[in-house]
Amino acid sequence: MKPFLGLMKKEWKLGRKSLVWLLLLQMVLVLITYLLGNHYQVPGIMFVGIIPLLLIHILMVPVMLLTLLNVEGKSQLWLHNPQSSMLLLGSKLLTGLGLHLISLLFSAVVLVFALMNSSSMLSNEQMQGYGIFELGTVLGVITIFSLFLAVECLLLWVIYHALVKFPQIKNVRWLIITILFFGINFLLNFFQDTALYQALDEIARVTIFQFNSFSVNTDEFSLAGEVIDFSLLTFSIDTLFVVGLFYLACWVFDRKLEV
């Protein structure tokens, strides 16, 4: 446990600078939209910056993970680290997730502030059904998608650097990785479209809320959402698929990459 905590501490030191810059950029964007809203007397204009800011967090874990991998890869010291590949890669993945959550929660707090600031523009009917649970669900969906995408990026990053051992294809590694990216997602989508998966998707369903759209003009601000069903069984299957990708990345990593 101590080696893993040590790795997490090291990863945090590597990633915190990127997090600080990201939070500063968010604050600047929020300040600009807040001032614009006050200037034009449209408080809801803050949502023009905040909602996309929330959604772009889908890319947050992959970006943070790749940043940590590239920083570490320049030294090549971690290739001689006695810790297992699961600890080395897992610490980076969890650190990326932690940085993502801090940034996402910051955006969520700003969103709540924007809702309070725009309360005069929102009727009770418009806000009915929008609460902490719904916001938490949206944040959870964003985090899950971001984490799943990060594991896929991790595997592709490891394979990309493993291919350096083959000089014949060294210059076209990017093409191979691109094909693998689309291939993995094609197979996943193909499986999800099969009759078997669709049948499993009807089992253990729960109802969740998903944010859909919003609109702002000089007269009003409106939110729109939809209630969808969610299968815990197929989510578990998808999770096992992603876990398999992570184990595959660890296996390839153990082949002694040259980064």
Side-chain angles (χ1 to χ4, degrees):
M1 190 63 180
K2 287 184 178 181
F4 182 73
L5 293 178
L7 288 172
M8 290 290 294
K9 184 178 180 180
K10 177 176 68 70
E11 301 302 341
W12 166 254
K13 290 181 178 179
L14 290 174
R16 62 185 178 185
K17 185 176 180 180
S18 298
L19 176 64
V20 170
W21 279 109
L22 181 61
L23 294 179
L24 287 175
L25 287 175
Q26 290 191 51
M27 287 188 284
V28 170
L29 177 60
V30 169
L31 179 61
I32 291 174
T33 55
Y34 177 77
L35 293 176
L36 287 174
N38 283 344
H39 178 75
Y40 292 104
Q41 297 299 305
V42 186
I45 202 173
M46 287 185 66
F47 288 87
V48 175
I50 298 171
I51 298 298
L53 194 62
L54 276 175
L55 298 179
I56 205 172
H57 275 81
I58 292 175
L59 301 176
M60 180 70 174
V61 181
V63 170
M64 285 296 182
L65 173 64
L66 292 175
T67 299
L68 293 173
L69 286 169
N70 288 329
V71 169
E72 188 80 68
K74 292 178 181 179
S75 67
Q76 298 189 10
L77 294 177
W78 69 329
L79 296 181
H80 307 286
N81 194 301
Q83 304 303 326
S84 68
S85 59
M86 290 188 61
L87 290 181
L88 292 171
L89 298 180
S91 63
K92 295 182 182 297
L93 185 62
L94 288 180
T95 300
L97 177 61
L99 297 172
H100 159 90
L101 290 175
I102 293 173
S103 179
L104 187 62
L105 289 176
F106 175 82
S107 297
V109 170
V110 175
L111 177 61
V112 172
F113 171 77
L115 283 170
M116 295 172 61
N117 190 53
S118 306
S119 58
S120 60
M121 303 176 62
L122 298 166
S123 66
N124 291 332
E125 291 182 356
Q126 285 177 307
M127 289 304 298
Q128 186 175 4
Y130 293 84
I132 298 299
F133 174 78
E134 287 73 24
L135 177 59
T137 301
V138 173
L139 300 184
V141 171
I142 291 174
T143 299
I144 290 171
F145 272 103
S146 186
L147 185 59
F148 282 15
L149 181 60
V151 173
E152 186 174 352
C153 289
L154 173 62
L155 173 62
L156 295 176
W157 186 92
V158 171
I159 293 176
Y160 177 83
H161 288 286
L163 292 176
V164 77
K165 291 185 176 182
F166 304 95
Q168 302 88 343
I169 59 174
K170 182 177 179 179
N171 294 329
V172 294
R173 288 180 295 165
W174 62 271
L175 179 59
I176 297 175
I177 294 303
T178 301
I179 294 174
L180 282 175
F181 174 78
F182 287 106
I184 291 173
N185 287 282
F186 173 80
L187 290 175
L188 181 59
N189 291 331
F190 177 80
F191 175 64
Q192 291 176 341
D193 289 335
T194 61
L196 173 61
Y197 187 93
Q198 295 299 321
L200 296 175
D201 198 43
E202 297 300 322
I203 302 175
R205 299 186 72 84
V206 295
T207 299
I208 66 170
F209 169 85
Q210 184 179 37
F211 178 80
N212 189 31
S213 64
F214 71 99
S215 63
V216 181
N217 56 46
T218 56
D219 299 320
E220 64 177 359
F221 171 82
S222 63
L223 289 169
E226 61 178 345
V227 174
I228 62 172
D229 289 331
F230 177 77
S231 172
L232 293 175
L233 178 59
T234 50
F235 171 73
S236 300
I237 294 174
D238 294 339
T239 300
L240 289 176
F241 175 78
V242 174
V243 170
L245 293 183
F246 177 74
Y247 272 97
L248 180 59
C250 293
W251 181 83
V252 176
F253 183 88
D254 284 334
R255 309 302 293 179
K256 302 302 181 183
L257 306 187
E258 297 177 7
V259 295

